[in-house]
Amino acid sequence: MIVSRRNLVRSGAALALTATLPGSSFGQRPAAAGDIGDLGFVDPELRPFARQMQQMMAGDPPPTAANIPAMRRQMATFSAPPLASPAWSLKQIAGRNGAPAVPVYVINANPSRDPAHRAPAILHTHGGGFIVGDAKGMISALQDLAATLGCVIVSVDYRLAPETRWQGSVEDNYAGLKWLHDHADDLGVDRRRIAVMGESAGGGHAALLAIAARDRREVPLCAQILVYPMLDDRTCAREPANPHIGALLWTPPKNVLGWDSFLGVAPGSSGVPVAAVPARTGDLRGLPPTFIGVGAIDLFVDEDVTYAHRLIDAGVPTELLVVPGAFHGFDGIAAQTSVAKAFNAAKIAALTRAFAG
């Protein structure tokens, strides 16, 4: 049971940054990362991976703004090379409202597809806590998914925080979605079957993208697939009732750094703009059918469950999957375990239903 570089990348959000934020008392609890005892709260299949991850990342620099460049360099070392197929390409598309060009990775496009049998598509946004990661590192995992579903995937290499705040990255992702829709014929895509999907911070971006698509009424979506999504900055201001939640991989101090970098104001404060945070959006009616999957000891579990409940109350068809004993990024880090395979199968099943609909 070895954690491979490929599996680290496949998680889309496994930021292996296990140190704590200096000067912060939030998150310092009995089951904090680095002092988690016998791991009895982790699913038995996942325990060896949790133990190995802690050992691998014990010497990481603290997650501070000054260390973000080092975090990015470290994350880049885990990038897996693309597969031989399906084919992929890098395109530079126009940014919105005078913004710089946006790099997008296009996977499994085929303009020669029969117009009567064009493929469904996914607009993907990568994970990384808003501050690290890139789209290129996810190509191999997305190639697997595109081959399984027979779909086209466009993954946006949006600008990261803190250099670019939320307004810039949200518009980068919307530029990617609009480009996918506008160039559907060139890509061999069925415009009626476009979904948004992301993991962790990418899940938060996918949720923001679904809200923007609803409000702007330019691109209809058939689904939003939110994998342990980062949805609510207010999680930074409250302590989980269960001390094991957020003890592994993505911890409260890292969450504070990610949201603070993204927002430019203190997370959980009254100055946070509603438009930057999916969970602060007042009206969720009219959003596309939704899949939300998260581990029961993931820091985001409470905010994800709450968001699912709100979607259901708003009349949005919603599937919520909470995996007992699963930590953040488990599906990629421990991809060959039965618990990860079942989680990924549920995600694929949700996409299959959306594309058939």
Side-chain angles (χ1 to χ4, degrees):
M1 297 185 181
I2 301 299
V3 176
S4 70
R5 289 178 181 270
R6 177 173 171 79
N7 283 351
L8 277 171
V9 173
R10 286 176 62 91
S11 74
L15 301 183
L17 314 171
T18 54
T20 58
L21 186 64
S24 172
S25 62
F26 181 50
Q28 295 178 3
R29 48 191 193 271
D35 182 23
I36 52 178
D38 62 0
L39 294 170
F41 57 93
V42 180
D43 179 278
E45 271 196 293
L46 301 178
R47 288 173 196 166
F49 298 93
R51 200 169 284 117
Q52 187 181 358
M53 284 296 299
Q54 287 205 314
Q55 293 169 355
M56 287 174 62
M57 306 307 168
D60 285 348
T64 64
N67 284 332
I68 288 175
M71 295 175 191
R72 291 175 182 168
R73 290 192 296 271
Q74 181 194 54
M75 190 70 173
T77 67
F78 291 101
S79 292
L83 306 176
S85 65
W88 64 275
S89 63
L90 170 62
K91 297 187 180 296
Q92 299 285 340
I93 67 171
R96 291 178 58 81
N97 305 318
V102 181
V104 297
Y105 291 88
V106 182
I107 299 166
N108 204 30
N110 183 358
S112 64
R113 286 190 180 97
D114 181 345
H117 298 93
R118 286 184 172 151
I122 297 169
L123 190 289
H124 174 261
T125 47
H126 69 82
F130 301 129
I131 56 175
V132 304
D134 58 38
K136 187 175 182 180
M138 289 294 296
I139 291 175
S140 61
L142 296 177
Q143 285 175 300
D144 281 343
L145 184 62
T148 298
L149 292 168
C151 69
V152 175
I153 301 179
V154 174
S155 188
V156 183
D157 206 14
Y158 58 85
R159 288 170 289 170
L160 298 175
E163 295 89 343
T164 300
R165 302 298 187 186
W166 65 274
Q167 301 94 328
S169 51
V170 167
E171 290 302 326
D172 288 350
N173 291 325
Y174 190 82
L177 177 63
K178 189 68 164 52
W179 181 86
L180 167 58
H181 182 265
D182 291 349
H183 292 79
D185 294 344
D186 301 331
L187 302 172
V189 163
D190 181 353
R191 285 184 178 87
R192 301 167 301 173
R193 296 188 292 160
I194 296 175
V196 293
M197 182 184 81
E199 307 83 18
S200 191
H205 268 305
L208 287 170
L209 201 48
I211 293 166
R214 177 199 64 180
D215 294 346
R216 299 180 190 186
R217 300 186 179 184
E218 294 179 312
V219 182
L221 298 177
C222 69
Q224 59 174 341
I225 307 299
L226 311 180
V227 181
Y228 32 82
M230 190 170 176
L231 297 173
D232 195 347
D233 67 291
R234 293 168 295 191
T235 295
C236 296
R238 51 184 175 245
E239 191 83 14
N242 181 339
H244 303 313
I245 291 174
L248 289 166
L249 292 184
W250 189 252
T251 60
K254 285 179 277 189
N255 204 40
V256 172
L257 176 61
W259 276 113
D260 183 74
S261 301
F262 183 65
L263 298 170
V265 298
S269 70
S270 59
V272 172
V274 171
V277 182
R280 288 181 180 259
T281 301
D283 186 358
L284 301 182
R285 292 175 296 178
L287 290 173
T290 301
F291 170 88
I292 297 177
V294 65
I297 55 174
D298 192 310
L299 182 63
F300 300 148
V301 63
D302 288 342
E303 65 191 65
D304 291 355
V305 170
T306 298
Y307 199 70
H309 286 172
R310 290 187 58 214
L311 287 166
I312 292 168
D313 290 344
V316 177
T318 301
E319 177 182 0
L320 172 65
L321 174 59
V322 180
V323 182
F327 51 82
H328 196 70
F330 77 97
D331 57 319
I333 294 168
Q336 297 308 310
T337 61
S338 61
V339 65
K341 288 179 179 179
F343 184 81
N344 285 317
K347 177 183 71 178
I348 289 169
L351 281 162
T352 300
R353 288 192 301 273
F355 291 157

